[in-house]
Amino acid sequence: MNRKYRKTIIAGNWKMNKTPSETKEFMTEFKSIMPKGRWCDVALCVPAVCIPMAVRCMRETRVGIGAENCNANASGAYTGEIAANMLVDAGCKYVIIGHSERRAMGETDADVNAKVHAALKAELMPIVCVGETLEQRDLGITEDWISMQVKCALHGVPEEKIRKIVVAYEPIWAIGTGKTATPEQAEEVCEHIRTVIRKLYGAKIARAISILYGGSMNEKNAFELLAQPDIDGGLIGGASLVPEKFVQIIEAANQPTV
Ligand code: PGA
């Protein structure tokens, strides 16, 4: 983390978990144990049907609610899809874009780029996910792959909008596997992402962009990961489903010593 130049963000990704009623239960408990620290931003990205309940429950707090996907189009004949401006109207502040689970369902780099533009236009903050497979890591092409994903996702994003973007590095081999990247491995790639952004947008912007790590981050390993200079927060799946665990991760991010 580097609080001087950029925001620390702890974001939960619930994936396809919890009903609206369970959302209410979670939020009630979460609110009662939530740390009052002012250093880090907290986001919870929830299933679309849980957004209204999450927004209602967290109205008086500083926790931002987010979606897990959006459609790239503004409106029209896209049965079952949700546009970015609908999410904003429902009270969302964030949207996850290009999660590897969605890429595995067929989302391309071009789709990710179109969704980034749609989110920015609607004034949603995109959390853009990138990450390599174990096979790519073993082949030694992690940095090339990540460069390509970042460049594609940011293609055509003007300088004045780039600060609204958050990038999340999520090695696919670490997601939901309990196999976290070591702090050194995670830092190496997050630093590389910042270098790619520096080459595209210059040093000042690169220094101001928050880059998150995701992949089996939990209450036990969060502190060490967040202590790395280029890891500005976490995108947390499994551990964000349990209020006490999520709170402990926020507390790790609020440590004054980091
Ligand atoms: P995990 O998921 O924390 O359960 O590994 C992270 C993510 O997919 O965003």
Side-chain angles (χ1 to χ4, degrees):
M1 293 189 286
N2 186 333
R3 291 200 186 97
K4 189 168 164 213
Y5 294 117
R6 45 194 181 257
K7 273 195 265 192
T8 303
I9 305 171
I10 298 297
N13 171 16
W14 279 5
K15 311 191 179 188
M16 199 171 76
N17 292 294
K18 296 198 192 289
T19 62
S21 324
E22 288 165 349
T23 301
K24 190 175 180 185
E25 273 168 41
F26 176 99
M27 296 300 173
T28 309
E29 190 180 342
F30 177 48
K31 258 202 299 204
S32 72
I33 57 171
M34 208 167 58
K36 305 283 177 273
R38 302 215 121 246
W39 284 308
C40 84
D41 284 9
V42 179
L44 270 166
C45 299
V46 303
V49 292
C50 300
I51 291 169
M53 179 61 83
V55 168
R56 204 175 319 141
C57 291
M58 301 315 272
R59 198 169 281 150
E60 316 279 278
T61 73
R62 293 172 57 247
V63 175
I65 301 303
E68 300 174 8
N69 180 36
C70 70
N71 190 276
N73 298 285
S75 63
Y78 304 100
T79 304
E81 290 291 285
I82 301 175
N85 69 323
M86 297 175 186
L87 297 173
V88 172
D89 194 69
C92 284
K93 194 172 159 198
Y94 302 89
V95 60
I96 297 174
I97 294 177
H99 191 280
S100 59
E101 287 154 17
R102 295 211 57 86
R103 291 183 191 255
M105 289 179 232
E107 198 164 289
T108 64
D109 284 307
D111 295 330
V112 171
N113 180 244
K115 290 179 182 198
V116 166
H117 282 279
L120 289 173
K121 193 164 177 220
E123 302 203 338
L124 268 180
M125 209 181 235
I127 302 175
V128 182
C129 302
V130 297
E132 83 287 2
T133 61
L134 195 54
E135 194 184 6
Q136 288 165 333
R137 176 161 281 266
D138 289 344
L139 285 169
I141 58 167
T142 299
E143 293 200 351
D144 293 334
W145 180 256
I146 299 292
S147 302
M148 190 271 301
Q149 283 189 320
V150 172
K151 285 182 192 167
C152 287
L154 303 185
H155 181 74
V157 175
E159 232 179 85
E160 65 272 16
K161 287 207 169 164
I162 192 74
R163 284 170 193 266
K164 300 256 158 60
I165 289 182
V166 177
V167 180
Y169 167 54
E170 298 207 308
I172 295 170
W173 47 272
I175 295 177
T177 56
K179 211 166 144 192
T180 326
T182 63
E184 294 71 30
Q185 283 173 324
E187 166 61 19
E188 198 178 18
V189 181
C190 289
E191 187 190 9
H192 174 69
I193 292 171
R194 204 175 303 285
T195 305
V196 173
I197 297 173
R198 186 178 305 124
K199 285 184 186 149
L200 293 172
Y201 293 95
K204 211 168 150 201
I205 287 176
R207 205 169 59 183
I209 301 272
S210 299
I211 301 174
L212 316 183
Y213 168 78
S216 300
M217 191 191 257
N218 59 36
E219 68 287 3
K220 294 188 187 83
N221 58 30
F223 183 84
E224 234 192 320
L225 286 159
L226 295 170
Q228 302 299 314
D230 289 289
I231 302 180
D232 306 307
L235 183 56
I236 297 122
S240 75
L241 296 168
V242 183
E244 301 82 47
K245 291 188 182 181
F246 194 52
V247 160
Q248 283 179 51
I249 298 172
I250 297 167
E251 277 165 352
N254 278 348
Q255 291 290 322
T257 48
V258 176

PDB file of all heavy atoms in Angstrom, residues 13 15 99-101 170 174-178 214-217 235-239, ligand 1:
ATOM      1  N   ASN A  13     -16.225  -9.853  -3.366  1.00  0.00           N
ATOM      2  CA  ASN A  13     -16.886 -10.365  -4.573  1.00  0.00           C
ATOM      3  C   ASN A  13     -17.675 -11.597  -4.145  1.00  0.00           C
ATOM      4  O   ASN A  13     -17.098 -12.655  -3.920  1.00  0.00           O
ATOM      5  CB  ASN A  13     -15.830 -10.724  -5.630  1.00  0.00           C
ATOM      6  CG  ASN A  13     -16.431 -11.465  -6.817  1.00  0.00           C
ATOM      7  OD1 ASN A  13     -17.644 -11.459  -7.013  1.00  0.00           O
ATOM      8  ND2 ASN A  13     -15.577 -12.116  -7.598  1.00  0.00           N
ATOM      9  N   LYS A  15     -19.769 -13.332  -5.818  1.00  0.00           N
ATOM     10  CA  LYS A  15     -20.039 -14.303  -6.895  1.00  0.00           C
ATOM     11  C   LYS A  15     -21.519 -14.716  -6.837  1.00  0.00           C
ATOM     12  O   LYS A  15     -22.360 -13.889  -6.513  1.00  0.00           O
ATOM     13  CB  LYS A  15     -19.099 -15.503  -6.783  1.00  0.00           C
ATOM     14  CG  LYS A  15     -17.642 -15.047  -6.621  1.00  0.00           C
ATOM     15  CD  LYS A  15     -16.654 -16.146  -6.771  1.00  0.00           C
ATOM     16  CE  LYS A  15     -15.249 -15.561  -6.608  1.00  0.00           C
ATOM     17  NZ  LYS A  15     -14.210 -16.517  -6.910  1.00  0.00           N
ATOM     18  N   HIS A  99     -13.860 -10.528 -14.767  1.00  0.00           N
ATOM     19  CA  HIS A  99     -13.444 -11.571 -13.826  1.00  0.00           C
ATOM     20  C   HIS A  99     -13.141 -12.848 -14.603  1.00  0.00           C
ATOM     21  O   HIS A  99     -13.821 -13.157 -15.586  1.00  0.00           O
ATOM     22  CB  HIS A  99     -14.550 -11.819 -12.784  1.00  0.00           C
ATOM     23  CG  HIS A  99     -14.076 -12.666 -11.653  1.00  0.00           C
ATOM     24  ND1 HIS A  99     -13.982 -14.035 -11.763  1.00  0.00           N
ATOM     25  CD2 HIS A  99     -13.631 -12.346 -10.421  1.00  0.00           C
ATOM     26  CE1 HIS A  99     -13.496 -14.512 -10.624  1.00  0.00           C
ATOM     27  NE2 HIS A  99     -13.281 -13.510  -9.791  1.00  0.00           N
ATOM     28  N   SER A 100     -12.160 -13.597 -14.151  1.00  0.00           N
ATOM     29  CA  SER A 100     -11.758 -14.796 -14.916  1.00  0.00           C
ATOM     30  C   SER A 100     -12.905 -15.796 -15.059  1.00  0.00           C
ATOM     31  O   SER A 100     -12.966 -16.545 -16.037  1.00  0.00           O
ATOM     32  CB  SER A 100     -10.552 -15.463 -14.264  1.00  0.00           C
ATOM     33  OG  SER A 100     -10.852 -15.823 -12.942  1.00  0.00           O
ATOM     34  N   GLU A 101     -13.820 -15.804 -14.073  1.00  0.00           N
ATOM     35  CA  GLU A 101     -14.965 -16.724 -14.192  1.00  0.00           C
ATOM     36  C   GLU A 101     -15.888 -16.298 -15.332  1.00  0.00           C
ATOM     37  O   GLU A 101     -16.534 -17.140 -15.962  1.00  0.00           O
ATOM     38  CB  GLU A 101     -15.712 -16.790 -12.847  1.00  0.00           C
ATOM     39  CG  GLU A 101     -14.914 -17.590 -11.821  1.00  0.00           C
ATOM     40  CD  GLU A 101     -15.200 -17.225 -10.372  1.00  0.00           C
ATOM     41  OE1 GLU A 101     -16.223 -16.586 -10.087  1.00  0.00           O
ATOM     42  OE2 GLU A 101     -14.363 -17.585  -9.519  1.00  0.00           O
ATOM     43  N   GLU A 170      -5.625 -11.048 -10.363  1.00  0.00           N
ATOM     44  CA  GLU A 170      -6.129 -12.289  -9.781  1.00  0.00           C
ATOM     45  C   GLU A 170      -5.584 -13.489 -10.556  1.00  0.00           C
ATOM     46  O   GLU A 170      -6.154 -13.886 -11.578  1.00  0.00           O
ATOM     47  CB  GLU A 170      -7.660 -12.316  -9.841  1.00  0.00           C
ATOM     48  CG  GLU A 170      -8.321 -11.205  -9.063  1.00  0.00           C
ATOM     49  CD  GLU A 170      -9.723 -11.607  -8.603  1.00  0.00           C
ATOM     50  OE1 GLU A 170     -10.525 -12.057  -9.441  1.00  0.00           O
ATOM     51  OE2 GLU A 170      -9.996 -11.500  -7.413  1.00  0.00           O
ATOM     52  N   ALA A 174      -4.988 -19.137  -8.214  1.00  0.00           N
ATOM     53  CA  ALA A 174      -5.143 -18.824  -6.781  1.00  0.00           C
ATOM     54  C   ALA A 174      -6.595 -18.568  -6.390  1.00  0.00           C
ATOM     55  O   ALA A 174      -6.901 -18.449  -5.207  1.00  0.00           O
ATOM     56  CB  ALA A 174      -4.293 -17.609  -6.436  1.00  0.00           C
ATOM     57  N   ILE A 175      -7.489 -18.493  -7.374  1.00  0.00           N
ATOM     58  CA  ILE A 175      -8.881 -18.142  -7.066  1.00  0.00           C
ATOM     59  C   ILE A 175      -9.654 -19.337  -6.526  1.00  0.00           C
ATOM     60  O   ILE A 175      -9.774 -20.364  -7.202  1.00  0.00           O
ATOM     61  CB  ILE A 175      -9.600 -17.564  -8.311  1.00  0.00           C
ATOM     62  CG1 ILE A 175      -8.933 -16.241  -8.708  1.00  0.00           C
ATOM     63  CG2 ILE A 175     -11.089 -17.358  -8.035  1.00  0.00           C
ATOM     64  CD1 ILE A 175      -9.515 -15.619  -9.953  1.00  0.00           C
ATOM     65  N   GLY A 176     -10.148 -19.180  -5.316  1.00  0.00           N
ATOM     66  CA  GLY A 176     -10.995 -20.209  -4.711  1.00  0.00           C
ATOM     67  C   GLY A 176     -10.279 -21.531  -4.458  1.00  0.00           C
ATOM     68  O   GLY A 176     -10.907 -22.539  -4.191  1.00  0.00           O
ATOM     69  N   THR A 177      -8.946 -21.509  -4.541  1.00  0.00           N
ATOM     70  CA  THR A 177      -8.198 -22.757  -4.408  1.00  0.00           C
ATOM     71  C   THR A 177      -7.532 -22.869  -3.039  1.00  0.00           C
ATOM     72  O   THR A 177      -6.999 -23.916  -2.690  1.00  0.00           O
ATOM     73  CB  THR A 177      -7.071 -22.824  -5.471  1.00  0.00           C
ATOM     74  OG1 THR A 177      -6.260 -21.650  -5.317  1.00  0.00           O
ATOM     75  CG2 THR A 177      -7.631 -22.866  -6.874  1.00  0.00           C
ATOM     76  N   GLY A 178      -7.515 -21.761  -2.301  1.00  0.00           N
ATOM     77  CA  GLY A 178      -6.802 -21.754  -1.034  1.00  0.00           C
ATOM     78  C   GLY A 178      -5.299 -21.605  -1.252  1.00  0.00           C
ATOM     79  O   GLY A 178      -4.505 -21.583  -0.320  1.00  0.00           O
ATOM     80  N   GLY A 214      -6.189 -10.367  -5.770  1.00  0.00           N
ATOM     81  CA  GLY A 214      -7.277 -11.270  -5.442  1.00  0.00           C
ATOM     82  C   GLY A 214      -6.866 -12.703  -5.711  1.00  0.00           C
ATOM     83  O   GLY A 214      -6.113 -12.986  -6.651  1.00  0.00           O
ATOM     84  N   GLY A 215      -7.372 -13.617  -4.907  1.00  0.00           N
ATOM     85  CA  GLY A 215      -7.037 -15.036  -5.053  1.00  0.00           C
ATOM     86  C   GLY A 215      -6.716 -15.592  -3.688  1.00  0.00           C
ATOM     87  O   GLY A 215      -5.578 -15.484  -3.222  1.00  0.00           O
ATOM     88  N   SER A 216      -7.755 -16.139  -3.036  1.00  0.00           N
ATOM     89  CA  SER A 216      -7.594 -16.733  -1.710  1.00  0.00           C
ATOM     90  C   SER A 216      -7.001 -15.775  -0.689  1.00  0.00           C
ATOM     91  O   SER A 216      -6.298 -16.201   0.226  1.00  0.00           O
ATOM     92  CB  SER A 216      -6.776 -18.030  -1.788  1.00  0.00           C
ATOM     93  OG  SER A 216      -7.441 -18.969  -2.619  1.00  0.00           O
ATOM     94  N   MET A 217      -7.294 -14.477  -0.836  1.00  0.00           N
ATOM     95  CA  MET A 217      -6.885 -13.548   0.222  1.00  0.00           C
ATOM     96  C   MET A 217      -7.833 -13.781   1.395  1.00  0.00           C
ATOM     97  O   MET A 217      -9.036 -13.931   1.206  1.00  0.00           O
ATOM     98  CB  MET A 217      -6.947 -12.093  -0.222  1.00  0.00           C
ATOM     99  CG  MET A 217      -6.261 -11.154   0.770  1.00  0.00           C
ATOM    100  SD  MET A 217      -6.575  -9.411   0.441  1.00  0.00           S
ATOM    101  CE  MET A 217      -5.065  -8.921  -0.319  1.00  0.00           C
ATOM    102  N   LEU A 235      -9.336  -7.984  -3.659  1.00  0.00           N
ATOM    103  CA  LEU A 235     -10.646  -8.396  -4.169  1.00  0.00           C
ATOM    104  C   LEU A 235     -10.864  -9.787  -3.581  1.00  0.00           C
ATOM    105  O   LEU A 235     -10.130 -10.725  -3.894  1.00  0.00           O
ATOM    106  CB  LEU A 235     -10.659  -8.414  -5.709  1.00  0.00           C
ATOM    107  CG  LEU A 235     -12.005  -8.762  -6.360  1.00  0.00           C
ATOM    108  CD1 LEU A 235     -13.115  -7.839  -5.892  1.00  0.00           C
ATOM    109  CD2 LEU A 235     -11.895  -8.677  -7.886  1.00  0.00           C
ATOM    110  N   ILE A 236     -11.836  -9.879  -2.720  1.00  0.00           N
ATOM    111  CA  ILE A 236     -11.953 -11.056  -1.863  1.00  0.00           C
ATOM    112  C   ILE A 236     -13.241 -11.825  -2.127  1.00  0.00           C
ATOM    113  O   ILE A 236     -14.330 -11.254  -2.032  1.00  0.00           O
ATOM    114  CB  ILE A 236     -11.885 -10.608  -0.379  1.00  0.00           C
ATOM    115  CG1 ILE A 236     -10.512  -9.966  -0.117  1.00  0.00           C
ATOM    116  CG2 ILE A 236     -12.099 -11.768   0.570  1.00  0.00           C
ATOM    117  CD1 ILE A 236     -10.591  -8.581   0.383  1.00  0.00           C
ATOM    118  N   GLY A 237     -13.088 -13.091  -2.471  1.00  0.00           N
ATOM    119  CA  GLY A 237     -14.246 -13.931  -2.749  1.00  0.00           C
ATOM    120  C   GLY A 237     -14.734 -14.601  -1.477  1.00  0.00           C
ATOM    121  O   GLY A 237     -15.458 -14.010  -0.666  1.00  0.00           O
ATOM    122  N   GLY A 238     -14.308 -15.834  -1.263  1.00  0.00           N
ATOM    123  CA  GLY A 238     -14.770 -16.661  -0.150  1.00  0.00           C
ATOM    124  C   GLY A 238     -14.814 -15.944   1.192  1.00  0.00           C
ATOM    125  O   GLY A 238     -15.829 -16.005   1.907  1.00  0.00           O
ATOM    126  N   ALA A 239     -13.731 -15.265   1.544  1.00  0.00           N
ATOM    127  CA  ALA A 239     -13.650 -14.629   2.870  1.00  0.00           C
ATOM    128  C   ALA A 239     -14.562 -13.406   3.003  1.00  0.00           C
ATOM    129  O   ALA A 239     -14.766 -12.919   4.115  1.00  0.00           O
ATOM    130  CB  ALA A 239     -12.201 -14.253   3.186  1.00  0.00           C
TER     131      ALA A 239
HETATM  132  P1  PGA B   1     -11.348 -16.064  -3.673  1.00  0.00           P
HETATM  133  O1  PGA B   1     -11.954 -15.280  -4.937  1.00  0.00           O
HETATM  134  O2  PGA B   1     -10.977 -15.000  -2.650  1.00  0.00           O
HETATM  135  O3  PGA B   1     -12.462 -16.935  -3.185  1.00  0.00           O
HETATM  136  O4  PGA B   1     -10.160 -16.808  -4.147  1.00  0.00           O
HETATM  137  C1  PGA B   1     -11.396 -14.085  -5.386  1.00  0.00           C
HETATM  138  C2  PGA B   1     -12.110 -13.628  -6.634  1.00  0.00           C
HETATM  139  O5  PGA B   1     -12.423 -14.474  -7.489  1.00  0.00           O
HETATM  140  O6  PGA B   1     -12.390 -12.426  -6.808  1.00  0.00           O
END
